[in-house]
Amino acid sequence: FFFQAEDGIRDHCVTGVQTCALPILHHCYLFEGPEGVGKATTALRLALYTNCLADQRPCGTCQSCRLMLAGTHPDLIVVEPDPEKVTRTITAEQARRLIAALQLQRHSARRRFVILDPADALGEEAANALLKTLEEPPAGTQFVLVTARAASLLQTVRSRSQRVRFGPVPDAAMEPWLRARGLDPALAVASQGSPGLALRLAEGEAADRTELAARIVETIGAPLHVLFSFTEATGKRGETAAERGATAERSALAVDALEELLRDTVAVAAGREGALFHPTHLARLRLWSAALYPGGVARLELAIARARERLDLNVNGRVVLEALFSSVNLELSAARAR
């Protein structure tokens, strides 16, 4: 994976084989970019490389590497959302515990690493509590903030970080990576350059998205009882924590499937009907293209972004999906009325 810092640091490659020489590190990096393109992996590789005890770093076999790879190194601190909270949140209490832990002497590492993943889960109180530590961390302490939603972070957090932007992995790199794992190279396009998404698609998510896309096409423009039946089946909140988690995942997948259909709509408008996520719905996509492109698509992309934000805040999936698909119906109705 490649990344380039804004202050002119040259490109650096972090791979499973070798890591190029690194510059003096900024005390706080913000790794931002799409989901599944290797931001957290690169953060870990950076920690491994910096603290590896071998001549060829990272070796993966020295004591430092083994402990970090196992997640048991005392100088590698990964802060994730509080599992006891319903919403995906890194709390102020977690921030205070982290600050207290950083007052202790490093155990054995050359440089202690703190990885916040995802950093956009920082609540406002937690972010404010960390500001001074992010700006002036204890000696030998390195922060890496990982996010796919940098705009969700407080400006005061972004301003204290060196921003490193990750992009999709090019098809030329993705396809051999997929072949080496016995996977269909066509997943490079379907995953939009995200290795993490490609793996999820190969493990069954592709079939789920295809099924949801078919249901969405049937639902859009149908009578309201069809819409309500779909959102009830897809987004109704379960009784147990496991059921609620499964419902949240399926609601998020439905939003992803709609976004793929909108991208297909744009592809049809651009005359690229040979590069669709869901070619079996070409006839309907042509109708959508005529009705929605370009203004309607842009407005619905904003509606999709709002839907994702609401799902992250644990709003009932059924309510979120009803509002989102009603927006699609309204856009199509407005187009027919013109």
Side-chain angles (χ1 to χ4, degrees), residues 288-311:
W288 286 16
S289 177
L292 298 175
Y293 185 80
V297 172
R299 288 188 290 273
L300 289 175
E301 285 289 356
L302 291 175
I304 284 173
R306 288 195 297 271
R308 288 193 173 118
E309 289 174 357
R310 296 179 73 195
L311 288 175

Side-chain angles (χ1 to χ4, degrees), residues 31 39-48 75-80 90 98 112-119 142-146:
F31 285 6
K39 302 182 297 297
T41 299
T42 301
L44 176 59
R45 296 287 296 179
L46 186 58
L48 289 170
D75 293 323
L76 175 63
I77 304 172
V78 179
V79 182
E80 298 176 320
I90 296 174
L98 173 61
R112 175 167 47 195
F113 271 74
V114 180
I115 301 173
L116 275 66
D117 183 17
Q142 172 74 50
F143 275 90
V144 182
L145 314 184
V146 176

Side-chain angles (χ1 to χ4, degrees), residues 161-180:
S161 309
Q162 173 64 67
R163 300 178 72 167
V164 180
R165 292 190 172 91
F166 288 65
V169 179
D171 290 352
M174 276 282 287
E175 289 175 1
W177 183 84
L178 290 164
R179 287 192 188 95

Side-chain angles (χ1 to χ4, degrees), residues 177-210:
W177 183 84
L178 290 164
R179 287 192 188 95
R181 287 157 178 77
L183 301 176
D184 185 354
L187 288 171
V189 176
S191 66
Q192 302 173 76
S194 167
L197 176 55
L199 293 175
R200 297 204 311 272
L201 291 172
E203 291 168 358
E205 190 171 309
D208 291 339
R209 289 183 185 226
T210 298

Side-chain angles (χ1 to χ4, degrees), residues 40 71 77-85 87-95 97-98 114-123 126 130 144 146:
I77 304 172
V78 179
V79 182
E80 298 176 320
D82 188 339
E84 296 183 1
K85 297 294 181 181
T87 56
R88 189 186 67 157
T89 305
I90 296 174
T91 64
E93 178 57 30
Q94 287 176 280
R97 289 200 301 266
L98 173 61
V114 180
I115 301 173
L116 275 66
D117 183 17
D120 52 90
L122 278 168
L130 284 172
V144 182
V146 176

